[in-house]
Amino acid sequence: MTAEISGVWDKIESMINDFIVLLPNMILALIVFAIFFFVGRSIKRAVRRLTRNHRQSRNLGLVLGRLAQGITVLVGLFIALSIVIPTFKAGDLVQLLGISGVAIGFAFRDILQNFLAGILILLTEPFQIDDQIVFKNFEGTVESIETRATTIRTYDGRRIVIPNAELFTNSVMVNTAFDKRRMQYDVGIGYGDDIDRAKQLMMEAMHSVDEVLKDPAPDVLLMELAGSTVNIRARWWIAPPRRMDDLRSRDKVLSAIKEKLTANGIDLPFPTQQILFHDQTEETDGDRKRQREGWPAGSGEVPKPRSISGSLRQLIELRSQQDGNG
């Protein structure tokens, strides 16, 4: 029993001595890794600072900065492991990464998919920071494009975080991709109004708005003969194509069109319905030549209402006739 305790103690003492021997190397390895980690962060910030004022290379700067940081940290990790374990070789690290890569890939498939999609978005640049995009039910300004997700700020002051894999594999509408943007709105006039005159007035109204571009010029098109209106579509261009410019131009254009049309006697009707009531108490019920509600009166005379007793008497007479014929 004493020999076993002595053997266990010797092993513990040996482990403690080995740890004390390795302690300076471990401290040095931690210092080296910390230096490489902070150097990597500094390189990332420097690259982003250099490309911050260049819109076309901003996303590329993000990619290069993150890749430089990752490579720097990986080199620091390799050097730190070499200090702690002098027999550690580069081939051992490659083998370790290869063995664990499959397991990591299955365990973090979604994370890796978003990471790869983020890199592709940053490289291909379908949209950039400060662009205004529409994705499914979300619309807003792009705040940041990270390797995992993209953050947009909605117009009502909310933040939406969208995984990059969804953005890369689905349709995204970029409202600020070009310098100009066309707006449109359908205006309904009455069937009795002059269409050409209404078009001319709408063109004059749009030309009077400063936010409407002269080139490309605005235009109007007859689009639909609806149930109670003749719909004419007004189309105009704005620049820049941001959301605030859209709302401002829409407010002024529609106000100018409404004032111009109403001032010149053009009707702006609203949907109407005609409801015909069928009075089943009249003695002319069922006679389309004499019935008033829904059918024209043939002789011009006003039918008299049928009393309840008269209706019952007529019903009894009809039953008697049917029984006699039967």
Side-chain angles (χ1 to χ4, degrees):
M1 185 67 179
T2 304
E4 293 179 357
I5 295 175
S6 177
V8 171
W9 174 252
D10 291 339
K11 290 182 180 180
I12 294 175
E13 186 177 3
S14 176
M15 293 174 61
I16 294 174
N17 292 332
D18 293 339
F19 177 77
I20 294 174
V21 172
L22 289 176
L23 184 61
N25 291 343
M26 294 175 63
I27 295 175
L28 179 61
L30 289 175
I31 294 174
V32 170
F33 180 76
I35 292 174
F36 274 87
F37 179 80
F38 286 108
V39 168
R41 291 184 60 181
S42 301
I43 293 175
K44 176 184 176 181
R45 292 175 180 175
V47 173
R48 294 183 63 176
R49 192 180 304 112
L50 291 174
T51 58
R52 181 178 300 168
N53 297 326
H54 301 279
R55 179 178 174 85
Q56 299 299 329
S57 59
R58 186 184 303 175
N59 289 345
L60 182 60
L62 291 174
V63 176
L64 294 178
R66 288 165 184 161
L67 289 178
Q69 181 187 21
I71 293 174
T72 303
V73 172
L74 185 62
V75 172
L77 177 62
F78 174 72
I79 295 176
L81 290 175
S82 300
I83 293 174
V84 176
I85 309 174
T87 58
F88 187 79
K89 304 297 181 183
D92 298 334
L93 179 61
V94 173
Q95 184 178 3
L96 178 62
L97 293 176
I99 294 174
S100 60
V102 177
I104 294 176
F106 279 106
F108 300 96
R109 180 180 60 184
D110 293 337
I111 296 177
L112 295 176
Q113 185 179 5
N114 288 324
F115 176 81
L116 180 59
I119 296 297
L120 294 175
I121 289 175
L122 290 170
L123 290 176
T124 58
E125 295 186 347
F127 54 84
Q128 300 175 346
I129 295 176
D130 293 333
D131 272 335
Q132 293 184 343
I133 65 173
V134 180
F135 175 72
K136 295 184 178 179
N137 296 327
F138 306 118
E139 181 175 359
T141 304
V142 178
E143 280 189 326
S144 63
I145 306 175
E146 303 293 337
T147 51
R148 187 193 68 84
T150 295
T151 303
I152 66 174
R153 184 180 67 255
T154 61
Y155 303 130
D156 56 355
R158 292 181 290 178
R159 176 174 294 170
I160 306 296
V161 180
I162 306 174
N164 287 327
E166 293 191 19
L167 284 173
F168 192 75
T169 56
N170 291 279
S171 300
V172 179
M173 181 186 299
V174 184
N175 289 332
T176 54
F178 303 102
D179 297 332
K180 302 175 183 178
R181 181 181 174 187
R182 192 187 71 187
M183 314 303 302
Q184 65 182 33
Y185 190 85
D186 290 349
V187 178
I189 65 173
Y191 270 89
D193 294 317
D194 188 340
I195 296 177
D196 293 333
R197 177 61 175 164
K199 286 184 177 181
Q200 180 184 356
L201 294 173
M202 292 171 65
M203 287 291 294
E204 294 176 0
M206 286 189 290
H207 279 296
S208 67
V209 178
D210 295 334
E211 282 75 9
V212 175
L213 298 180
K214 302 301 184 290
D215 185 22
D219 60 358
V220 290
L221 300 171
L222 178 61
M223 297 302 297
E224 184 182 10
L225 300 177
S228 56
T229 59
V230 176
N231 293 335
I232 301 177
R233 178 166 298 173
R235 306 193 303 177
W236 68 95
W237 291 81
I238 61 172
R242 305 190 71 82
R243 174 68 172 178
M244 183 57 65
D245 304 284
D246 167 19
L247 296 177
R248 186 180 296 113
S249 70
R250 188 182 297 269
D251 172 70
K252 293 184 178 181
V253 167
L254 297 184
S255 298
I257 289 177
K258 194 267 182 184
E259 293 177 0
K260 197 75 172 179
L261 293 178
T262 54
N264 287 270
I266 302 297
D267 188 21
L268 298 177
F270 48 86
T272 58
Q273 291 182 340
Q274 182 178 6
I275 300 177
L276 302 176
F277 291 96
H278 183 188
D279 188 356
Q280 297 182 355
T281 65
E282 292 183 348
E283 59 183 7
T284 57
D285 180 32
D287 186 354
R288 295 188 177 183
K289 294 182 179 180
R290 301 179 59 197
Q291 187 173 321
R292 291 184 299 170
E293 287 73 24
W295 306 100
S299 60
E301 60 181 270
V302 179
K304 297 180 180 179
R306 182 188 302 160
S307 63
I308 297 178
S309 59
S311 300
L312 293 176
R313 186 169 51 254
Q314 185 177 3
L315 179 61
I316 294 172
E317 293 176 356
L318 291 174
R319 287 288 182 88
S320 300
Q321 293 176 1
Q322 291 175 359
D323 293 340
N325 296 330

